[in-house]
Amino acid sequence: MILVTGGAGYIGSHFVYRAIKRDTNVNVVILDNFSEGCEEAVRGWERIHVVHGDMGDKDIVNSTLKKYPIEAVVHFAAHCYVGESQSQPFKYFHNNVSSSLVLFEAMEQHGLRKIVFSSSCATYGIPQYSPIDEKHPQNPINNYGMTKLLAEQILFRLAATAGWSTVCLRYFNASGAEPEAKIGESHNPETHLLPRILQAATGKLESIDILGTDYPTRDGTCIRDYIHVNDLADAHIASLDLIKSAGNSTVAEAINLGTATGYSVREVIEKCKEISGRNITVREEARRPGDPPELVANAAKAKSLLNWHPQYTLDDIINSAWQWELNRRY
């Protein structure tokens, strides 16, 4: 049985769906306070148990670990808005770091030392070279990235001194949706580029803003590596398998998840126009503080260590996200 914190969130719900679909023997306990996750995303699924609570609540975490025979944890729960992390730093340090420590301490008390952690390429900061591999220096330029780095460092120290096994997965830009399960990306407010472009295509938004047109990139706009949420989910499953196959041996790995291909904001907008068949009004605005010009993954380690290969192209990502936008349930 797996405990999934933030399992009703965007990436968490896709992981849960893929995990129970792939293995009929898997049972999942979702711990979510639904401050950002959507209960509709996991309602009615078989072999899941939902605990409505916060990972920072010691009593709820301990009672959950006592009630269910948890063998490993997949830790998604976190605040994840870069801009908000700059304006409300303590919100991020309390939730992403302090509450994670409550979870980790409870795990230790229950002899549970296997965890896959949802980290971020935001831990790298401004790239010194590209594509970025796991040896790249970590120097986050925003508070969100710093909270992910601090949680990583705690887990690696626990691996080094307390026998924990952990895989920290550094995502690049999570995107797309799972049509079969009728789940997709739903944030309030929605700050991520791709869903905002598609909301502009439907008319839900009047326009899409390009935040910065003077970056040192091929067309002046930021370049990002877009990875389908189902590919991310599969990498978490592979990471759990890696930890399980190690038995009593310690695993302590940081692994990038991306496609090694970057697309600019302008290129993504044009691709969305093509796939949606809609006109999209674009406004050019000043840069947003904390945005690196380019973030593209070197994902060779994921391929060699997890036998993981991205299955979805940018067209696949946008097609699935567009179908979700046209038929969203929540």
Side-chain angles (χ1 to χ4, degrees), residues 10 13-14 17 21 38-43 45 176-186 229-230 320 323-325 327-330:
Y10 170 44
S13 61
H14 284 77
Y17 176 74
K21 181 181 178 183
C38 300
E39 193 166 2
E40 297 94 331
V42 294
R43 182 179 295 154
W45 291 2
E178 170 54 83
E180 286 186 25
K182 298 182 180 179
I183 57 176
E185 188 165 9
S186 182
V229 65
N230 280 354
S320 65
Q323 291 306 311
W324 164 249
E325 199 59 50
N327 303 283
R328 64 165 55 236
R329 294 170 48 236
Y330 52 86

Side-chain angles (χ1 to χ4, degrees), residues 56-319:
D57 187 321
K58 185 181 297 186
D59 292 338
I60 288 177
V61 176
N62 275 305
S63 64
T64 300
L65 295 181
K66 184 177 180 179
K67 179 178 180 180
Y68 297 100
I70 304 298
E71 298 173 314
V73 175
V74 183
H75 180 23
F76 293 102
H79 295 316
C80 60
Y81 299 120
V82 168
E84 184 184 59
S85 78
Q86 299 297 85
S87 61
Q88 300 185 53
F90 289 102
K91 175 180 179 180
Y92 278 69
F93 287 118
H94 278 301
N95 186 69
N96 295 6
V97 182
S98 298
S99 292
S100 290
L101 276 173
V102 172
L103 171 68
F104 300 161
E105 186 173 12
M107 289 173 60
E108 176 67 22
Q109 290 172 355
H110 289 266
L112 179 58
R113 302 183 179 95
K114 300 181 186 298
I115 183 169
V116 177
F117 175 56
S118 167
S119 190
S120 170
C121 65
T123 64
Y124 293 120
I126 301 293
Q128 297 179 11
Y129 55 84
S130 184
I132 300 168
D133 60 22
E134 292 82 0
K135 295 179 181 178
H136 188 287
Q138 291 178 283
N139 186 26
I141 60 173
N142 53 64
N143 292 323
Y144 166 69
M146 179 57 73
T147 63
K148 290 295 187 179
L149 176 57
L150 290 171
E152 276 193 15
Q153 291 178 336
I154 291 167
L155 288 170
F156 288 137
R157 293 312 306 163
L158 290 171
T161 61
W164 283 47
S165 282
T166 185
V167 177
C168 296
L169 297 173
R170 297 172 183 162
Y171 309 163
F172 283 65
N173 277 47
S175 311
E178 170 54 83
E180 286 186 25
K182 298 182 180 179
I183 57 176
E185 188 165 9
S186 182
H187 299 113
N188 186 23
E190 184 56 75
T191 63
H192 293 165
L193 177 66
L194 183 55
R196 287 184 62 82
I197 296 172
L198 295 176
Q199 286 172 10
T202 64
K204 184 176 182 179
L205 295 179
E206 292 183 1
S207 62
I208 184 67
D209 294 340
I210 297 179
L211 303 179
T213 59
D214 59 347
Y215 286 97
T217 60
R218 54 182 173 263
D219 63 14
T221 65
C222 286
I223 291 175
R224 295 292 183 265
D225 185 340
Y226 295 88
I227 179 75
H228 196 283
V229 65
N230 280 354
D231 282 328
L232 292 180
D234 291 345
H236 287 75
I237 295 170
S239 297
L240 285 171
D241 291 341
L242 176 67
I243 290 175
K244 182 179 179 180
S245 66
N248 294 326
S249 299
T250 296
V251 174
E253 299 288 351
I255 302 176
N256 287 341
L257 296 180
T259 66
T261 302
Y263 295 92
S264 74
V265 174
R266 291 193 193 278
E267 289 168 340
V268 174
I269 292 172
E270 289 305 310
K271 183 61 71 172
C272 287
K273 288 181 180 179
E274 175 188 325
I275 289 174
S276 68
R278 308 282 182 90
N279 185 49
I280 299 171
T281 302
V282 177
R283 299 190 309 178
E284 296 182 0
E285 302 289 347
R287 293 186 185 191
R288 179 178 65 176
D291 276 337
E294 182 173 355
L295 289 172
V296 177
N298 177 332
K301 185 175 180 180
K303 294 175 182 178
S304 64
L305 197 60
L306 301 178
N307 193 28
W308 174 86
H309 304 267
Q311 301 298 309
Y312 296 81
T313 66
L314 181 64
D315 281 32
D316 297 329
I317 289 169
I318 295 174
N319 268 308

